[in-house]
Amino acid sequence: MIINIMPTHQQPLALLGNITPTQFLAEYWQKKPLLIRNAIANFTGLLDANELAGLSCKEDVQARLIKQSKSKWQVIDGPFDEDFFSRLPHDKKEHNWTLLVQSVNHHLPKAAELLAKFNFIPHARLDDLMVSYAPDGGGVGPHFDSYDVFLLQGSGKRLWRVCEQQDLSLVDGVPIKILKNFVTEQEYILEAGDMLYLPPQVAHWGVAMGECMTYSIGFRAPKVEELAIEFLSFMQDNLALQGLYQDPNLTLQAHPSDVSDNMVASVSNMLKTITWDDNAVGEFLGRYLSDPKPDVIFELPRKLSLEKFNQQLMQKPIFLALKSKMLCYKTACFINGEKLDLPDSLFSSMQKLADTRCLFVNHQYLNIDDLAVLIQLLHTHYLSGYLTFKH
Ligand code: SIN
Ligand code: CO
């Protein structure tokens, strides 16, 4: 698989209903919903319900089953066993259920190709591809997400109800987010290949019309508080302050238990010396946003000597493993939370790998020292399972 889809942002895309990515960003992104009929022609999905159920039985796949019986909602976490699905009812009068499988792009090369179509949104914002299956009448109820999401219809049909309502109060005591007062503003029936873009916090409710599969291409909008906490933790790891607290002018205090104003002022001044610049924030973002989720486990390849690795590298392209995430800030590159130790002269090669998830190392065009560094670096990350020659 070679992903090399870098749309020129001035070209209208069927994927966006024949507007350009530039127009989409200006008019819809984070602003209002957009319904796109036939966004991907002839799209019927990347896997069938059985294959999705099969994925949800795997140890390293994050899967949930959301079940509603009358007004009772239940969440069952995977991995499931094969029999589990045969026991589920298909009678919509009694039950409603949906199987949701996260990060399908970590397991299916075709899913990574699908995500590449959305390259007009920065990879730093990309979360994952979630795929759902529901029998007739199934859905996860009226809710809102904290994500920008493109809801692409796979097989079957789904009725979407959408509302840009202010009232986002939730039903108490249920294990998932269900809106207390959902109001239908718009209704759309999506068929295979149709897509609905929703900004974060837009209320929506999808109900399967017959068996249906939906592909959610999710773009994470991290909470400000989460970014701040993580940045402070990054700063803590990178802080190098010298010296001890000093009080050579200490005077007698009326109460020995008092933390004095002098002490507070002195420490307050000391803390004000903690500063950061955009480079620190860039490095933090590169590391944090490329960091894999805690449940991600990289598969290690069979051992390959540097020499044998280089022989392969001369013959074929190398790819980011499906679970790898790579970002760049200025001339720095980050892969799966780590900063690469890289001379500037190799940046454009690594940027190509980050942009397209693929790199063919052209041995003739690199100087001998750079080539040696590049091969060593790629080899190290190949052995960690971050890079691969095949999907
Ligand atoms: C689903 O695919 O059933 C749920 C997607 C969503 O509502 O975000
Ligand atoms: Co949703």
Side-chain angles (χ1 to χ4, degrees):
M1 174 197 61
I2 298 187
I3 294 173
N4 201 357
I5 306 162
M6 299 291 285
T8 62
H9 291 188
Q10 304 310 331
Q11 265 170 14
L13 297 181
L15 183 74
L16 294 174
N18 295 317
I19 61 169
T20 67
T22 308
Q23 263 175 299
F24 171 77
L25 293 181
E27 288 169 35
Y28 297 95
W29 177 252
Q30 296 246 302
K31 297 169 197 71
K32 57 182 179 190
L34 175 63
L35 171 72
I36 305 144
R37 291 285 176 206
N38 212 15
I40 302 186
N42 306 318
F43 183 77
T44 48
L46 306 177
L47 71 179
D48 64 25
N50 284 330
E51 289 164 328
L52 189 72
L55 260 187
S56 76
C57 296
K58 288 179 142 184
E59 227 18 85
D60 62 337
V61 173
Q62 209 196 326
R64 279 166 303 158
L65 189 112
I66 295 183
K67 218 167 147 191
Q68 182 197 17
S69 184
K70 306 219 167 74
S71 62
K72 190 170 170 279
W73 289 91
Q74 205 188 342
V75 181
I76 308 169
D77 287 319
F80 304 108
D81 60 64
E82 309 265 325
D83 297 343
F84 176 78
F85 292 101
S86 55
R87 293 196 301 268
L88 285 169
H90 278 71
D91 177 359
K92 80 171 172 182
K93 287 188 207 87
E94 281 299 312
H95 284 91
N96 144 23
W97 59 268
T98 298
L99 171 66
L100 300 160
V101 181
Q102 294 294 149
S103 300
V104 172
N105 51 305
H106 287 183
H107 306 279
L108 218 67
K110 276 192 270 173
E113 280 178 58
L114 174 66
L115 290 187
K117 291 185 189 294
F118 295 82
N119 261 347
F120 53 89
I121 311 287
H123 294 171
R125 290 284 266 104
L126 178 64
D127 193 49
D128 72 345
L129 172 72
M130 179 185 84
V131 182
S132 71
Y133 167 83
D136 188 26
V140 297
H143 67 280
F144 64 91
D145 296 307
S146 318
Y147 279 38
D148 293 271
V149 67
F150 292 88
L151 298 158
L152 172 65
Q153 189 58 31
S155 57
K157 289 187 205 173
R158 188 182 280 274
L159 168 68
W160 284 104
R161 300 188 177 105
V162 177
C163 183
E164 292 179 74
Q165 63 191 58
Q166 297 300 308
D167 177 2
L168 295 179
S169 50
L170 297 172
V171 176
D172 294 325
V174 286
I176 56 169
K177 278 194 306 193
I178 298 287
L179 284 166
K180 240 185 216 164
N181 307 306
F182 180 81
V183 185
T184 304
E185 226 168 49
Q186 300 282 347
E187 267 191 359
Y188 313 104
I189 294 174
L190 266 68
E191 300 195 27
D194 292 344
M195 189 164 78
L196 179 61
Y197 162 73
L198 297 176
Q201 319 279 27
V202 171
H204 54 286
W205 184 4
V207 178
M209 299 174 76
E211 282 185 75
C212 114
M213 292 182 75
T214 299
Y215 292 68
S216 297
I217 297 115
F219 291 88
R220 203 160 96 85
K223 287 201 175 93
V224 174
E225 192 181 5
E226 170 199 328
L227 282 175
I229 290 171
E230 294 295 336
F231 180 66
L232 290 177
S233 152
F234 164 85
M235 285 293 288
Q236 178 182 325
D237 295 341
N238 289 274
L239 213 55
L241 297 177
Q242 305 299 322
L244 297 174
Y245 172 75
Q246 292 178 334
D247 52 2
N249 301 324
L250 185 65
T251 52
L252 280 178
Q253 296 187 183
H255 298 280
S257 60
D258 267 359
V259 173
S260 70
D261 288 346
N262 281 343
M263 186 177 211
V264 168
S266 161
V267 173
S268 180
N269 283 334
M270 190 193 84
L271 293 176
K272 281 180 196 153
T273 65
I274 301 173
T275 55
W276 57 83
D277 56 15
D278 284 355
N279 285 332
V281 177
E283 176 167 341
F284 155 68
L285 289 172
R287 284 179 188 273
Y288 180 59
L289 298 177
S290 69
D291 208 12
K293 290 181 187 162
D295 56 321
V296 171
I297 297 164
F298 288 91
E299 282 137 48
L300 301 183
R302 67 181 173 85
K303 283 247 182 299
L304 202 60
S305 68
L306 187 64
E307 201 190 328
K308 289 238 168 70
F309 175 78
N310 191 29
Q311 277 166 11
Q312 297 216 28
L313 207 55
M314 283 204 250
Q315 290 160 19
K316 53 189 177 189
I318 193 155
F319 300 95
L320 284 182
L322 292 176
K323 293 176 182 172
S324 283
K325 195 156 180 188
M326 192 170 174
L327 297 174
C328 302
Y329 170 68
K330 292 193 174 154
T331 55
C333 294
F334 307 87
I335 185 164
N336 300 329
E338 295 171 26
K339 186 178 178 191
L340 298 182
D341 188 8
L342 196 71
D344 284 357
S345 49
L346 286 178
F347 174 69
S348 64
S349 297
M350 295 314 273
Q351 188 182 42
K352 183 154 197 311
L353 178 62
D355 279 343
T356 64
R357 303 187 68 85
C358 169
L359 177 68
F360 187 81
V361 176
N362 204 325
H363 287 60
Q364 285 142 23
Y365 291 111
L366 287 167
N367 81 44
I368 215 138
D369 294 337
D370 280 352
L371 189 59
V373 174
L374 181 62
I375 294 167
Q376 180 65 61
L377 188 79
L378 294 176
H379 184 237
T380 305
H381 291 298
Y382 170 81
L383 294 179
S384 313
Y386 293 181
L387 302 174
T388 179
F389 283 113
K390 58 174 180 353
H391 283 318

